[in-house]
Amino acid sequence: MQLYNTLSAEERAELIDQAGKQRLTLSFYAYAKIEDPKKFRDDLFIVWNELDALGRTYVAHEGINAQMSVPAENFEAFRETLEAYDFMKGIRLNVAVEHDDHSFLKLTVKVRDKIVADGLNDETFDVTNIGVHLKAKEFNEILEDPNTIVVDFRNHYESEIGHFKGAITPDVETFRESLPIINEQLKDFKEDKNLVMYCTGGIRCEKASAYFKHQGFKNVFQLEGGIINYAKQIKEENIESKFLGKNFVFDHRLGERITDDILSQCHQCGKPCDNHTNCENEGCHLLFIQCDECKAEMENCCSTECQEIIHMSLADQVKMRRGVKNGNMIFRKGKSENLKFKHSGALSDVALAKADLTESEIAKPKDIRQKIKIKKTLIGKAEHYFPKSEVGQFLMEKDTLKIGDNILISGPTTGNQTLKITAMYVNGKQNDEAKEGDKVTFSLPFRIRLSDKLYKILE
């Protein structure tokens, strides 16, 4: 029974392109009491894998939270897998405004303590006692009420590129940080103000609204379906968008445009920009805003130090990363002092520039598309790794491998690693060439896994 991915992200992207079928990016959540999250997780993985559904899902005793990519032709079948459970009958699926067939390239369903980490240990807190849900038009109307306070319950890197007019945008890195901050900031308004909240897809507000009702706030409201559903409704109903800029999303796109307002700056040069990138240095991987010019000059890096590291040998890079963990530091603005145009605290509602919507952002080449342009041919698979000698063994399944060939080793955990063959052993003896059926071994500066594939890069 397959409960894991067998293809690398690159292999999956190639299959998606070959299929040539539209995929939908969507998200959903549901709070419920799940007795056995592990069995629930396994059952979902099996049925979703059969539908070629990809994405990231968390399940816990308190419910489910998912962001998915589903073939359009399997959309209704996917919905049926959810509505097989009573607590998900009639569930709202937030379908993205912009679609990218490569938004997710593997299926992960993980069991967590909570689907939204809140740091709360109050057994009297009822997560189902939520605030009033507002649709887009109702949300716009309540924002016009001078008695309304609107709060963004997302993190700084999300609200920096887009937010509702007049919203309080806490300078936080996690949802759990925002709860006590907002509670303290608004403690004098529990009786007489409308506390209106929003987030990406609604799941954080669902819990936040219940929390603030628990804290004694009388008039608590939330945007139904979050910004994703709001963007869909304003488009369908042709109503004004009170949201400005981009909505940050947690897939390869890192954002979908709601309006043409650019509210943020490139963190390196200060030019108006709202495109996020992850530092190319695997030992950093900092999430930051970078314009096209800086991206080209800095080679997707956040600093000259990281730029120097990506030009080091793979072996030296791996040695530098040993024992170093990034964790959630990748999202922290303060991690790199080289970023001169970072923003903290209150964010402006004034656009710095307007995006050129004639050049669709969807049409821009994505990193994964650039990677799959590497011409290669599959020649073998991993069989063993000898950690003491740092040697990998592969079974040649077709073609030949010679000294001087450039190869790509790819796998779900290993990622995509390239190197040149300078020496190798074939069936236990040093040789210059390996053929189909041979066992070939050579030195590697990284660990390989049995799921890894061996490719020869074609010139």
Side-chain angles (χ1 to χ4, degrees), residues 35 55 142 217 293 316 342 431:
E35 296 297 329
I142 203 169
F217 285 81
E293 289 80 2
D316 287 341
K342 299 174 292 183
N431 206 321

Side-chain angles (χ1 to χ4, degrees), residues 226-238:
I227 302 165
I228 295 174
N229 198 43
Y230 178 88
K232 180 182 178 183
Q233 289 180 7
I234 61 171
K235 187 175 181 180
E236 291 175 346
E237 300 173 25
N238 194 29

Side-chain angles (χ1 to χ4, degrees), residues 168-224:
I168 296 173
T169 54
D171 189 23
V172 297
E173 291 155 2
T174 62
F175 172 70
R176 70 175 68 190
E177 290 178 70
S178 63
L179 296 179
I181 290 175
I182 296 301
N183 193 35
E184 174 63 25
Q185 190 171 343
L186 303 181
K187 63 182 179 181
D188 296 329
F189 304 105
K190 293 185 178 183
E191 299 284 341
D192 58 346
K193 294 289 186 180
N194 298 320
L195 176 56
V196 180
M197 55 191 67
Y198 69 91
C199 57
T200 307
I203 186 170
R204 284 177 277 188
C205 289
E206 195 91 351
K207 180 170 281 190
S209 70
Y211 171 79
F212 285 103
K213 287 186 70 176
H214 182 66
Q215 292 297 315
F217 285 81
K218 301 301 182 185
N219 306 307
V220 180
F221 304 84
Q222 65 186 95
L223 179 58
E224 183 181 55

Side-chain angles (χ1 to χ4, degrees), residues 265-270 279 281 284 286-290 294 298 301-309 332-343:
Q265 297 172 278
C266 170
H267 286 169
Q268 290 176 318
C269 72
C279 181
N281 174 18
C284 174
L286 177 74
L287 181 73
F288 66 107
I289 298 173
Q290 187 178 49
C294 288
M298 299 298 296
C301 292
C302 70
S303 65
T304 54
E305 290 81 4
C306 284
Q307 192 174 16
E308 291 171 359
I309 290 172
R332 301 193 178 194
K333 290 181 291 186
K335 182 170 184 282
S336 175
E337 292 304 319
N338 292 294
L339 302 179
K340 304 298 183 185
F341 294 90
K342 299 174 292 183
H343 287 284

Side-chain angles (χ1 to χ4, degrees), residues 55-299:
R56 178 178 59 248
T57 299
Y58 299 136
V59 298
H61 286 292
E62 70 174 9
I64 180 172
N65 178 23
Q67 295 86 40
M68 307 291 296
S69 168
V70 179
E73 62 185 14
N74 293 342
F75 180 75
E76 291 304 325
F78 179 78
R79 182 188 290 277
E80 289 176 6
T81 68
L82 305 179
E83 297 194 341
Y85 299 90
D86 288 340
F87 73 90
M88 287 195 285
K89 288 191 182 299
I91 190 169
R92 181 187 62 251
L93 301 180
N94 289 329
V95 180
V97 176
E98 298 174 355
H99 293 291
D100 182 350
D101 291 342
H102 294 176
S103 59
F104 290 100
L105 294 170
K106 64 179 179 178
L107 174 61
T108 59
V109 187
K110 297 182 179 181
V111 176
R112 292 284 177 88
D113 291 334
K114 295 184 178 182
I115 55 174
V116 176
D118 52 28
L120 302 176
N121 295 301
D122 185 351
E123 295 182 0
T124 66
F125 170 49
D126 181 3
V127 72
T128 65
N129 182 24
I130 60 176
V132 178
H133 281 203
L134 299 175
K135 297 187 181 301
K137 186 177 180 180
E138 298 168 322
F139 193 82
N140 279 4
E141 290 172 353
I142 203 169
L143 292 186
E144 296 297 328
D145 187 338
N147 209 39
T148 291
I149 298 174
V150 60
V151 182
D152 189 328
F153 275 95
R154 300 173 303 152
N155 304 326
H156 66 78
Y157 54 88
E158 300 172 78
S159 56
E160 186 174 359
I161 61 170
H163 51 265
F164 278 96
K165 297 177 182 177
I168 296 173
T169 54
D171 189 23
V172 297
E173 291 155 2
T174 62
F175 172 70
R176 70 175 68 190
E177 290 178 70
S178 63
L179 296 179
I181 290 175
I182 296 301
N183 193 35
E184 174 63 25
Q185 190 171 343
L186 303 181
K187 63 182 179 181
D188 296 329
F189 304 105
K190 293 185 178 183
E191 299 284 341
D192 58 346
K193 294 289 186 180
N194 298 320
L195 176 56
V196 180
M197 55 191 67
Y198 69 91
C199 57
T200 307
I203 186 170
R204 284 177 277 188
C205 289
E206 195 91 351
K207 180 170 281 190
S209 70
Y211 171 79
F212 285 103
K213 287 186 70 176
H214 182 66
Q215 292 297 315
F217 285 81
K218 301 301 182 185
N219 306 307
V220 180
F221 304 84
Q222 65 186 95
L223 179 58
E224 183 181 55
I227 302 165
I228 295 174
N229 198 43
Y230 178 88
K232 180 182 178 183
Q233 289 180 7
I234 61 171
K235 187 175 181 180
E236 291 175 346
E237 300 173 25
N238 194 29
I239 58 180
E240 178 191 2
S241 175
K242 299 287 188 179
F243 184 93
L244 305 173
K246 264 186 177 180
N247 179 28
F248 185 95
V249 292
F250 293 87
D251 56 51
H252 287 299
R253 297 172 298 156
L254 294 179
E256 58 180 17
R257 184 162 295 288
I258 309 300
T259 71
D260 62 358
D261 301 285
I262 298 177
L263 305 180
S264 52
Q265 297 172 278
C266 170
H267 286 169
Q268 290 176 318
C269 72
K271 175 183 177 181
C273 175
D274 53 12
N275 296 324
H276 276 100
T277 189
N278 282 113
C279 181
E280 190 72 16
N281 174 18
E282 291 293 334
C284 174
H285 214 52
L286 177 74
L287 181 73
F288 66 107
I289 298 173
Q290 187 178 49
C291 68
D292 290 341
E293 289 80 2
C294 288
K295 184 183 287 286
E297 181 182 347
M298 299 298 296
E299 300 176 277

